[in-house]
Amino acid sequence: MKLSASISTIRFLNLNSLSVRSYPSSIFPSFKTTMTRFANFSIQISNSSPANTAEDSQVVAPSKPKPKPKPPPQQPWLIVGLGNPGKKYNGTRHNVGFEMVDGIAEAEGISINNVNFKALFGRGFIGDVPVMLAKPQTFMNASGESVGAIVSYYKIPLKQVLVIYDDLDLPFAKLRLLPKGGHGGHNGMRSIIDRLKGSRDFPRLRIGIGRPPGRMDAVNFVLRPFNKEEREELEFTFQQGIEAVRILLLEGFDKSATYVNSAKAIEQLG
């Protein structure tokens, strides 16, 4: 590189005093000769002031991406089995709701030994769905006191409240899953509907216990235990009911209802 012959003055920046001094080029006779020896040397001239250069050299950190908002927590299901507390009623027809909930608890590893809301109560998961299991201890006819309190406290949508109970009008060991309905003369369901301000819009799983033989009073019939043959058949029904509840929570009501209400449902368990 050759310096232009028109350069007549060489300026030096005094860093200590931040001043510029000018000298005639004749004072440095060898400057031109020295620079010509570096053919590949280049000089970049900037019009920026020291302040601007420092400002331009600042590195702006990239903005961090905003975290995605977390989805709201999933509402739990409440699964209620109806029955009467006490050893006197263990194994009776009126307590099949209790037995079904016990089966669900055992299958899913959920403890229901806590007493809360006038019920034996437990919390856990079926798959990745949070669930609450409850067996009201108020006696059948006042079941709504327990169920209504749980629904109100946890603000559970009624479409996620499943009530399991015995039904005289279904053939023995048959299941029926419905999205809503009346109490059908069942006092436990009557109490629950009353405590839910008259709403009937919650699913229910009915377990058939058959009609009383001859002229036997219905009250006496529902408090009778099952015989050996009935008990063996009922075990298949409980297994079907456990699977139906899994399908309901994980795949939806329609698939569960198809499974439960199909005549082939019990055959699928074999």
Side-chain angles (χ1 to χ4, degrees), residues 3 8 43 51 58 70 72 90 119 128 133 140 146 155 169 182 189 213 220 233 235 243:
L3 292 179
S8 60
I43 299 175
Q58 291 180 357
K70 293 182 179 180
N90 285 350
D128 59 353
L133 304 181
M140 181 69 79
S146 173
K155 297 179 173 57
D169 294 326
M189 287 296 288
N220 292 330
E233 187 175 354
E235 290 302 320
E243 183 62 22

Coordinates of all heavy atoms in Angstrom, one line a residue, residues 3 8 43 51 58 70 72 90 119 128 133 140 146 155 169 182 189 213 220 233 235 243:
L3 N 1.0 5.4 0.5 CA 0.3 6.6 1.1 C 0.2 7.7 0.1 O 1.1 7.9 -0.7 CB 1.1 7.1 2.3 CG 1.1 6.2 3.6 CD1 1.9 6.9 4.7 CD2 -0.3 5.9 4.0
S8 N -0.2 15.9 4.1 CA 0.9 16.9 4.5 C 1.0 17.0 6.0 O 1.9 17.6 6.5 CB 0.6 18.2 3.9 OG -0.7 18.7 4.4
I43 N -6.0 0.5 6.1 CA -6.5 1.4 7.2 C -8.0 1.7 6.9 O -8.4 2.0 5.8 CB -5.7 2.8 7.2 CG1 -4.2 2.5 7.4 CG2 -6.3 3.7 8.2 CD1 -3.4 3.7 7.3
A51 N -17.4 8.0 21.7 CA -18.6 7.7 22.4 C -19.5 6.8 21.6 O -20.1 5.9 22.0 CB -19.3 9.0 22.8
Q58 N -21.9 -2.2 22.0 CA -22.7 -2.9 23.0 C -23.5 -4.0 22.4 O -24.1 -3.8 21.3 CB -23.6 -1.9 23.7 CG -22.9 -0.9 24.6 CD -23.9 0.0 25.2 OE1 -25.1 -0.1 25.0 NE2 -23.4 0.9 26.1
K70 N -49.3 -22.7 31.5 CA -49.6 -24.1 31.9 C -51.1 -24.3 31.8 O -51.9 -23.5 32.1 CB -49.2 -24.3 33.4 CG -47.7 -24.3 33.6 CD -47.3 -24.6 35.0 CE -45.8 -24.6 35.2 NZ -45.5 -24.9 36.7
P72 N -54.8 -25.6 32.8 CA -55.4 -25.6 34.1 C -55.4 -27.1 34.6 O -55.5 -28.0 33.8 CB -56.8 -25.1 33.8 CG -57.1 -25.3 32.3 CD -55.7 -25.1 31.7
N90 N -72.8 -56.0 55.3 CA -71.8 -56.4 54.4 C -72.3 -57.6 53.6 O -72.9 -58.5 54.1 CB -70.5 -56.9 55.2 CG -69.7 -55.7 55.7 OD1 -70.0 -54.6 55.4 ND2 -68.8 -56.0 56.6
A119 N -68.0 -39.9 54.9 CA -67.8 -41.0 54.0 C -66.4 -41.6 54.2 O -65.5 -40.9 54.6 CB -67.9 -40.5 52.5
D128 N -54.2 -41.4 33.9 CA -53.7 -40.1 34.3 C -54.8 -39.2 34.8 O -54.6 -38.0 34.9 CB -52.9 -39.5 33.2 CG -53.8 -39.3 31.9 OD1 -54.9 -39.8 31.9 OD2 -53.3 -38.6 31.0
L133 N -62.8 -41.5 45.4 CA -63.7 -42.6 45.7 C -64.4 -42.4 47.0 O -63.7 -42.0 48.0 CB -62.9 -43.9 45.7 CG -62.1 -44.3 44.5 CD1 -61.5 -45.7 44.7 CD2 -63.0 -44.3 43.2
M140 N -78.0 -45.4 53.7 CA -78.5 -45.2 52.3 C -79.4 -44.0 52.1 O -79.2 -43.2 51.2 CB -79.2 -46.5 51.9 CG -79.7 -46.4 50.4 SD -78.3 -46.4 49.2 CE -77.9 -48.2 49.2
S146 N -73.5 -36.6 52.2 CA -72.1 -36.8 51.9 C -71.7 -36.4 50.5 O -70.8 -35.6 50.3 CB -71.7 -38.3 52.1 OG -70.4 -38.5 51.7
K155 N -66.0 -28.4 44.0 CA -66.6 -27.8 42.8 C -66.5 -28.8 41.6 O -66.0 -28.4 40.5 CB -65.9 -26.5 42.4 CG -66.2 -25.4 43.5 CD -65.4 -24.1 43.2 CE -65.8 -23.0 44.2 NZ -65.5 -23.4 45.6
D169 N -84.9 -53.2 39.3 CA -85.6 -53.3 38.0 C -84.7 -53.9 36.9 O -85.1 -54.1 35.8 CB -86.2 -52.0 37.6 CG -87.3 -51.5 38.5 OD1 -88.0 -52.3 39.0 OD2 -87.4 -50.3 38.7
G182 N -83.8 -40.0 36.7 CA -84.4 -39.8 38.0 C -83.9 -40.8 39.0 O -82.9 -41.6 38.8
M189 N -80.5 -42.5 45.8 CA -80.5 -41.6 44.7 C -81.4 -40.4 44.9 O -81.1 -39.2 44.5 CB -80.9 -42.3 43.4 CG -79.8 -43.3 42.9 SD -78.3 -42.4 42.4 CE -78.8 -41.6 40.9
P213 N -88.4 -62.7 45.2 CA -89.3 -63.8 44.8 C -90.6 -63.8 45.5 O -90.8 -63.3 46.6 CB -88.5 -65.0 45.3 CG -87.7 -64.5 46.5 CD -87.4 -63.1 46.1
N220 N -87.0 -56.2 52.7 CA -86.3 -57.4 53.2 C -85.4 -58.0 52.2 O -84.3 -58.5 52.5 CB -87.4 -58.4 53.7 CG -88.1 -57.9 54.9 OD1 -87.6 -57.2 55.7 ND2 -89.4 -58.3 55.0
E233 N -71.4 -65.3 40.1 CA -71.9 -64.5 38.9 C -71.6 -63.0 39.1 O -71.2 -62.3 38.2 CB -73.3 -64.8 38.6 CG -73.8 -64.1 37.3 CD -75.3 -64.5 37.0 OE1 -75.9 -65.3 37.8 OE2 -75.8 -63.9 36.0
E235 N -69.2 -61.6 40.7 CA -67.8 -61.3 40.6 C -67.5 -60.9 39.1 O -66.7 -60.0 38.9 CB -66.9 -62.5 41.0 CG -66.9 -62.7 42.5 CD -66.5 -61.5 43.3 OE1 -65.5 -60.8 42.9 OE2 -67.1 -61.2 44.4
E243 N -63.8 -52.3 34.5 CA -63.4 -52.0 33.1 C -64.2 -50.9 32.5 O -63.7 -50.0 31.9 CB -63.5 -53.2 32.2 CG -62.9 -53.0 30.8 CD -61.5 -52.6 30.8 OE1 -60.7 -52.9 31.8 OE2 -61.0 -52.0 29.8

